[in-house]
Amino acid sequence: MLRPKTDEKLSDEFVALPALDWVKEDWSIIVPHAEGDIQKVEIDPSLRMADVNREDNVWPKKKPQETGENDKQ
Amino acid sequence: MFKYFSISIFSILFIISPKLNAQCEDWQQAVRYEMDVDFDVKNHRYVGIQNVEYTNNSKDTLKELYFHLYMNAFQPGSAMDVRSRLISDPDPRVTDRIQNLAPSEQGFQRINAITQEEAVLTYEVHGTILKVMLSKAALPGKKISISMLYDAQVPLQIRRMGRMNAEDIHYSMAQWYPKVCHYDDKGWHTNPYIGREFYGHYGSFDVTIRIDSNYTVAATGYLQNPGEIGKGYTELVPEERQTGEKLVWTFYANKVHDFVWAADPFYKHTTILTEDSILLRFFYRESERNMEEWAKLPAIMSASFAYIQKTFGKYPYKEYAFIMAGDGGMEYPMATLITGNRPLPSLVGVSVHELMHSWYQGVLGFNENMYYWMDEGFTSYASELVMDFLRTNEFLPSRQEPIPLFTGSYRGYFNLVKAGQEEPLSTHADHFNFTTSYGISAYSKGAIYLHQLGYIIGQENLSKTLLAFYTKCAFKHPDDNDLRRIAEKISGIELKWYNEYWVQTTKTIDYTLSGLESLDTRSTKIGIERTGDMPMPLDIMVTLNSGTRVMYHVPM
């Protein structure tokens, strides 16, 4: 806790944000990009975090016919 | 772009105390075994003389010693038998087979006498546990020596050890001698054997085996008299074979916590020397079904060894034996028992997995009863990387459809969560309600522990952590706290919360991208919800229309 990891070189740019208070259930980050410039947002594209429902980890949401199994990976 | 560093008391502690040598410094007992067993292959029995020198490095005075008598588990009514018949999803290799063993098919270890410096000792046998009352207590820092005479019957192969396994190997001799129970800062570990895990002291084994001369013996350790034996242990045919119907095999191993052997009259014995000068031995019963696979195995395992040593640390012994025996794959110091009639990918897979246990169990010596998930999980993690190395370098055919590493581990874990049968990793291995949940917890959730730790601290820090953990804690029986502290010191990231959630609870991770909101022409708010009970730091990748990918990392 309290310290960010260093850049794993999984992207073109790496930005470490302030630490998050774990008790929060709803929160947000503000990124310096116009919404129209954003093609995709994804939580943990490396698929290492064991999120039990990855369906809602991607924006824009997949259309129903693109939706695969609920399982990660 | 900016970086945020929170300066806290915890962070300062990391900065001023970066040393890694505070881990794995506890005391441990030491044991030296001298064994001489005379084997009767007609009746599947043997008589054993065992001398044990026990060094009590604890601060406690020990008035008793405890031993495992594992073979007593293979008797109707044993704890292993009852457990297997009562649990709803028993190991299919066991089920009710113990209950149905005839007397001549059962296993036993029968103590005939125990002495301590000429004094005859009293003892009690409780199933698979032997309690010995010492005539002179083992004082702190002092050694004691006891001798025992016993006889034993090798059961039909049920689980791991026994005679005549499914591939007709005559003797799979695991869990075969009275083994000193582990004593540490938690006290004695005298769990009745129900077929699951092990925990033993490091020590030396001087083992003499007398068995019919037509048998080839494969074992932990180094054969001390290859010139008298031949059988692939020396290139030369021995000039003077021992007369009589039995050969006397003498093995020695040091800094190991167990000793396994197997014997079969039809073993083929081949060897290969790795580039790091480790001698790999292969013992198998050759047939048309497996000869091609076993012929290819040595070169593949030699290549594996080089990759493994570079990635996970140096193997501390000079030999390792792949032995066709047992009932699947089971790790032992300097050797493994594996079933051998398999397609090549399966044969390599089981060989790699059991070999990796030499790192994550053989050298680190976890208490498998509590840290089975470090034993199996870390081994599974490493095995996946080794298999990927072998496929990438064309030692094995590539998968027809590439799938991400650890897909199977995550799938197993998610299925367990969905089934509602998950129990915390901190559950004792023997006490899971379901065999399936124990298995998935050990292999899958344990592997994910490391893969996910790489997500939290970064893959490079994980690799450094594993190497440091292996180096600092070799032969010291570490636990998850030792690994965590090393990871913290290398990464500078506090991780206690990770073990508290992932190991001690069944809370799950579930995050949701709730939506995007344009704030102005230059900024956007990304909403996130935590719907799972386990919090995590987040990597949030924003891909722009230009193709640029920006990773926003939110630590905890």
Side-chain angles (χ1 to χ4, degrees):
Chain A
M1 288 184 179
L2 302 175
R3 290 185 67 172
K5 64 180 173 183
T6 53
D7 186 0
E8 292 191 272
K9 309 297 183 189
L10 301 175
S11 57
D12 300 304
E13 293 179 31
F14 178 83
V15 180
L17 298 175
L20 177 74
D21 191 342
W22 69 268
V23 297
K24 290 184 178 177
E25 295 181 348
D26 295 282
W27 47 281
S28 60
I29 63 170
I30 296 173
V31 296
H33 317 291
E35 183 179 3
D37 290 339
I38 296 175
Q39 181 187 91
K40 181 181 179 184
V41 180
E42 182 174 9
I43 297 173
D44 179 31
S46 70
L47 304 178
R48 289 174 293 178
M49 186 175 76
D51 192 314
V52 295
N53 179 17
R54 277 198 59 82
E55 290 295 306
D56 53 15
N57 286 16
V58 180
W59 180 94
K61 292 179 181 177
K62 292 179 181 177
K63 296 174 183 176
Q65 60 267 31
E66 295 175 342
T67 302
E69 297 177 5
N70 287 330
D71 283 352
K72 179 172 181 173
Q73 301 183 41
Chain B
M1 185 186 297
F2 64 95
K3 288 192 175 182
Y4 174 85
F5 293 97
S6 173
I7 303 300
S8 66
I9 292 175
F10 207 90
S11 303
I12 293 170
L13 285 176
F14 280 130
I15 294 167
I16 64 175
S17 182
K19 295 180 180 177
L20 297 176
N21 57 6
Q23 266 49 68
C24 304
E25 291 300 317
D26 289 342
W27 56 269
Q28 60 177 296
Q29 310 293 64
V31 62
R32 188 165 69 86
Y33 294 94
E34 286 182 8
M35 307 174 185
D36 192 323
V37 294
D38 191 7
F39 212 93
D40 172 5
V41 297
K42 290 182 179 176
N43 296 300
H44 314 295
R45 292 188 176 191
Y46 57 96
V47 174
I49 299 171
Q50 179 166 298
N51 299 318
V52 175
E53 182 185 272
Y54 184 84
T55 304
N56 178 15
N57 290 318
S58 78
K59 294 180 180 178
D60 305 322
T61 295
L62 303 178
K63 297 179 180 177
E64 299 101 21
L65 280 189
Y66 292 85
F67 291 78
H68 295 282
L69 303 176
Y70 292 112
M71 282 164 60
N72 287 351
F74 301 101
Q75 298 171 10
S78 71
M80 183 174 173
D81 173 37
V82 173
R83 174 68 165 163
S84 182
R85 287 187 282 114
L86 291 181
I87 199 166
S88 61
D89 60 339
D91 186 319
R93 291 167 291 199
V94 183
T95 60
D96 63 350
R97 292 178 63 207
I98 296 175
Q99 185 184 33
N100 296 320
L101 289 173
S104 63
E105 299 170 332
Q106 295 168 13
F108 64 72
Q109 285 166 311
R110 191 163 50 199
I111 303 300
N112 297 313
I114 305 177
T115 59
Q116 180 183 12
E117 298 174 4
E118 311 300 329
V120 177
L121 302 183
T122 58
Y123 57 89
E124 300 169 0
V125 175
H126 302 276
T128 58
I129 298 297
L130 166 68
K131 178 181 180 181
V132 179
M133 278 60 81
L134 299 172
S135 60
K136 292 182 181 177
L139 300 175
K142 300 296 183 183
K143 293 179 181 177
I144 62 165
S145 296
I146 68 171
S147 300
M148 58 177 63
L149 176 66
Y150 68 98
D151 64 292
Q153 177 170 286
V154 184
L156 277 182
Q157 181 100 22
I158 298 287
R159 183 74 180 97
R160 296 194 174 111
M161 64 87 58
R163 66 191 203 236
M164 298 306 292
N165 78 350
E167 296 177 336
D168 295 332
I169 301 299
H170 282 204
Y171 295 107
S172 303
M173 299 302 290
Q175 298 88 44
W176 61 278
Y177 61 94
K179 181 180 180 181
V180 178
C181 294
H182 204 99
Y183 185 83
D184 60 18
D185 59 344
K186 311 289 190 304
W188 285 106
H189 295 263
T190 57
N191 303 105
Y193 183 55
I194 63 164
R196 289 247 164 103
E197 303 292 355
F198 304 97
Y199 187 27
H201 290 303
Y202 285 103
S204 66
F205 289 75
D206 190 338
V207 180
T208 298
I209 300 165
R210 302 167 195 273
I211 192 168
D212 276 27
S213 59
N214 62 330
Y215 279 78
T216 294
V217 176
T220 293
Y222 309 106
L223 183 66
Q224 300 298 294
N225 56 340
E228 298 172 3
I229 297 294
K231 295 184 182 288
Y233 283 93
T234 175
E235 294 179 358
L236 302 174
V237 175
E239 293 181 2
E240 293 184 19
R241 302 298 294 255
Q242 293 181 344
T243 57
E245 65 174 357
K246 292 185 178 179
L247 274 179
V248 180
W249 302 67
T250 303
F251 292 90
Y252 179 76
N254 193 21
K255 296 186 81 171
V256 294
H257 54 59
D258 201 0
F259 187 98
V260 69
W261 60 285
D264 190 80
F266 306 107
Y267 269 147
K268 181 173 182 176
H269 178 188
T270 63
T271 61
I272 190 171
L273 193 65
T274 72
E275 63 181 45
D276 297 318
S277 298
I278 308 295
L279 183 64
L280 307 184
R281 299 185 183 277
F282 301 83
F283 298 87
Y284 60 105
R285 189 185 279 207
E286 189 178 50
S287 68
E288 287 189 9
R289 182 178 172 187
N290 68 25
M291 61 190 307
E292 187 176 337
E293 289 77 10
W294 279 84
K296 292 179 178 175
L297 188 61
I300 296 173
M301 296 316 299
S302 180
S304 300
F305 236 97
Y307 171 79
I308 293 168
Q309 293 213 95
K310 179 182 175 185
T311 310
F312 299 105
K314 187 171 172 55
Y315 181 73
Y317 312 105
K318 295 177 180 176
E319 293 188 16
Y320 187 88
F322 298 88
I323 306 167
M324 184 170 165
D327 63 353
M330 182 62 195
E331 70 275 14
Y332 300 96
M334 302 178 67
T336 178
L337 304 189
I338 56 175
T339 49
N341 294 329
R342 300 163 177 261
L344 186 64
S346 173
L347 183 63
V348 172
V350 71
S351 298
V352 165
H353 181 92
E354 304 311 333
L355 173 61
M356 272 318 313
H357 273 300
S358 293
W359 281 253
Y360 299 115
Q361 177 51 13
V363 169
L364 290 169
F366 307 129
N367 172 5
E368 294 180 16
N369 295 301
M370 296 310 301
Y371 306 107
Y372 53 90
W373 58 273
M374 297 176 75
D375 166 34
E376 293 297 351
F378 291 14
T379 294
S380 296
Y381 173 84
S383 301
E384 184 106 350
L385 298 184
V386 179
M387 293 298 283
D388 185 57
F389 162 81
L390 292 174
R391 290 192 193 95
T392 302
N393 290 277
E394 300 181 349
F395 288 99
L396 288 173
S398 299
R399 288 191 168 114
Q400 290 183 334
E401 292 185 14
I403 57 174
L405 293 177
F406 305 102
T407 293
S409 296
Y410 283 93
R411 186 173 293 152
Y413 166 66
F414 293 142
N415 286 338
L416 181 64
V417 171
K418 283 181 187 172
Q421 294 181 346
E422 188 189 8
E423 296 175 59
L425 288 182
S426 54
T427 305
H428 189 291
D430 290 348
H431 299 163
F432 273 81
N433 292 330
F434 301 96
T435 300
T436 302
S437 59
Y438 153 73
I440 294 174
S441 298
Y443 289 82
S444 299
K445 196 175 177 184
I448 295 171
Y449 173 93
L450 282 188
H451 195 48
Q452 190 166 248
L453 181 59
Y455 167 78
I456 297 167
I457 66 174
Q459 184 62 38
E460 187 176 341
N461 281 334
L462 174 63
S463 298
K464 290 178 182 175
T465 295
L466 288 176
L467 271 174
F469 180 53
Y470 181 77
T471 304
K472 295 290 180 185
C473 298
F475 307 110
K476 293 177 180 175
H477 309 290
D479 59 23
D480 59 336
N481 189 57
D482 295 306
L483 177 76
R484 175 183 65 80
R485 292 291 291 131
I486 289 173
E488 287 181 338
K489 290 171 182 175
I490 285 176
S491 68
I493 297 172
E494 183 189 347
L495 295 164
K496 196 182 293 143
W497 64 274
Y498 182 50
N499 284 20
E500 288 167 351
Y501 276 99
W502 194 253
V503 177
Q504 297 175 26
T505 79
T506 57
K507 296 180 189 297
T508 54
I509 302 162
D510 190 1
Y511 280 92
T512 301
L513 277 173
S514 54
L516 273 58
E517 178 185 343
S518 177
L519 298 179
D520 52 43
T521 57
R522 306 171 82 177
S523 60
T524 302
K525 184 163 77 173
I526 299 174
I528 294 141
E529 292 179 18
R530 177 173 63 81
T531 49
D533 289 328
M534 178 173 171
M536 285 285 284
L538 288 189
D539 283 352
I540 303 167
M541 180 84 89
V542 175
T543 305
L544 304 176
N545 293 330
S546 63
T548 300
R549 298 172 307 152
V550 184
M551 183 75 85
Y552 291 93
H553 172 63
V554 186
M556 283 173 46

